[in-house]
Amino acid sequence: MAWDLSKAAWLYPLRGIYYFASHRFLWPLFKTRLIPIVLLSAFIYTILFLFAYLPQVAFLAIFQGAGAWISGAFLVLGEGAAVVAALFEAFFVDETLVDIFDAVLVSEGQGELVAASRVLYPQGDDVVQRLGKPTQSAVYSPFSLRQILEFIILLPLNFIPVAGTPMFLILTGYRGGPFHHWRYFQLLDLSKQQRKERIRKRQLQYTTFGTVALILQLVPVLSMLFLMSTAVGAALWVVEIENRRPPLASGRRSDREGVYRDTADFMA
């Protein structure tokens, strides 16, 4: 099972792109934020590449030679991603990510999981129209000052020739990957200790997922579009986890004494 490429965690951010493109009910959720975010992203990346790229390449060239052009690009893209992500919070996009995540779960037969924390209407023109207001706190990925600081601290890894950029991507993916399932942990009502246990059992998978998600978010202009499609991929991964859960462990909500179990508990 570990070698089943069809279930590789790192593929889910890519599957999210295809799923979004082929499921029209998600498009309005993107359109409401897409135009202003694309324009904002284009402006930020243009400014950074005009005024920050060449000075950083010149500095990196002291240590890396010709490789500085590539490392400098990743450095500027990382800086741009950090700025855009911070501004993205100002647009209250987390609410949109929650709607995207929940809509995919409902569409893929996991409505019971979502109904535990938000109203679901029995009828609607599409899945999104069936989503009512959350009855509990609904957060796709919580704001984390620590994560932002770690991102900034890790950026200088791009100064290291050859290995620096891959190290930056992997370490950032290691820290950021689990945040894409924060909403899932909320729906399961897991305690802090249970969350840590779930993450520990899938740490490699979360690292690969987070790394691919970060690479997509480093794409200029389209970074925030890929953030939204990654939420789709995260939900598709949840669907796979829930569908593979053995019948005896099929309870949707955990209690605080650690009864909840998922497929990771049964994997060799």
Side-chain angles (χ1 to χ4, degrees):
M1 186 64 70
W3 295 98
D4 187 351
L5 187 61
S6 67
K7 297 180 175 61
W10 62 271
L11 284 174
Y12 281 101
L14 304 178
R15 289 177 176 174
I17 299 173
Y18 174 78
Y19 190 95
F20 160 69
S22 58
H23 290 75
R24 296 177 62 91
F25 68 84
L26 289 172
W27 294 2
L29 293 174
F30 282 74
K31 290 178 182 178
T32 57
R33 306 290 185 180
L34 184 57
I35 294 178
I37 287 300
V38 167
L39 293 177
L40 182 62
S41 299
F43 174 76
I44 291 172
Y45 282 111
T46 299
I47 294 298
L48 286 175
F49 272 99
L50 284 176
F51 297 102
Y53 179 56
L54 290 179
Q56 291 180 124
V57 168
F59 179 76
L60 290 170
I62 300 174
F63 308 96
Q64 301 184 17
W69 293 98
I70 297 176
S71 297
F74 272 98
L75 189 58
V76 171
L77 290 173
E79 293 163 351
V83 173
V84 172
L87 292 174
F88 210 42
E89 291 288 339
F91 279 82
F92 304 104
V93 177
D94 193 83
E95 180 181 346
T96 302
L97 295 179
V98 169
D99 288 343
I100 291 171
F101 190 88
D102 290 357
V104 173
L105 291 182
V106 174
S107 178
E108 295 301 312
Q110 296 297 329
E112 181 184 352
L113 186 63
V114 176
S117 68
R118 80 181 299 167
V119 175
L120 290 181
Y121 299 115
Q123 295 180 338
D125 294 336
D126 54 44
V127 176
V128 174
Q129 295 298 320
R130 291 183 56 200
L131 297 179
K133 291 187 176 298
T135 56
Q136 301 176 8
S137 173
V139 178
Y140 176 77
S141 178
F143 175 79
S144 173
L145 178 60
R146 176 180 174 181
Q147 186 182 16
I148 294 176
L149 291 176
E150 287 178 346
F151 185 90
I152 296 173
I153 292 171
L154 290 173
L155 273 175
L157 286 174
N158 290 280
F159 293 159
I160 302 175
V162 184
T165 297
M167 288 173 58
F168 165 74
L169 294 173
I170 293 172
L171 289 176
T172 306
Y174 174 88
R175 290 292 303 165
F179 280 90
H180 289 282
H181 268 179
W182 186 270
R183 174 61 175 161
Y184 179 39
F185 301 149
Q186 265 192 335
L187 293 173
L188 293 174
D189 196 26
L190 299 184
S191 66
K192 182 177 181 180
Q193 184 58 41
Q194 288 172 320
R195 289 198 307 268
K196 288 183 177 179
E197 185 66 15
R198 298 277 80 73
I199 293 171
R200 183 189 66 80
K201 290 181 178 180
R202 290 194 173 94
Q203 187 62 75
L204 178 59
Q205 292 173 295
Y206 279 125
T207 299
T208 59
F209 182 99
T211 299
V212 174
L214 174 61
I215 292 173
L216 291 175
Q217 289 173 45
L218 292 180
V219 177
V221 182
L222 298 178
S223 59
M224 294 301 100
L225 171 61
F226 287 140
L227 175 60
M228 293 183 179
S229 65
T230 296
V232 175
L236 292 176
W237 187 11
V238 168
V239 172
E240 176 64 27
I241 293 172
E242 289 294 305
N243 286 342
R244 290 163 56 195
R245 190 114 64 82
L248 291 178
S250 61
R252 296 303 187 194
R253 307 287 284 178
S254 72
D255 62 22
R256 292 297 183 181
E257 297 179 357
V259 172
Y260 174 79
R261 302 172 75 191
D262 66 14
T263 52
D265 297 320
F266 300 87
M267 295 172 63

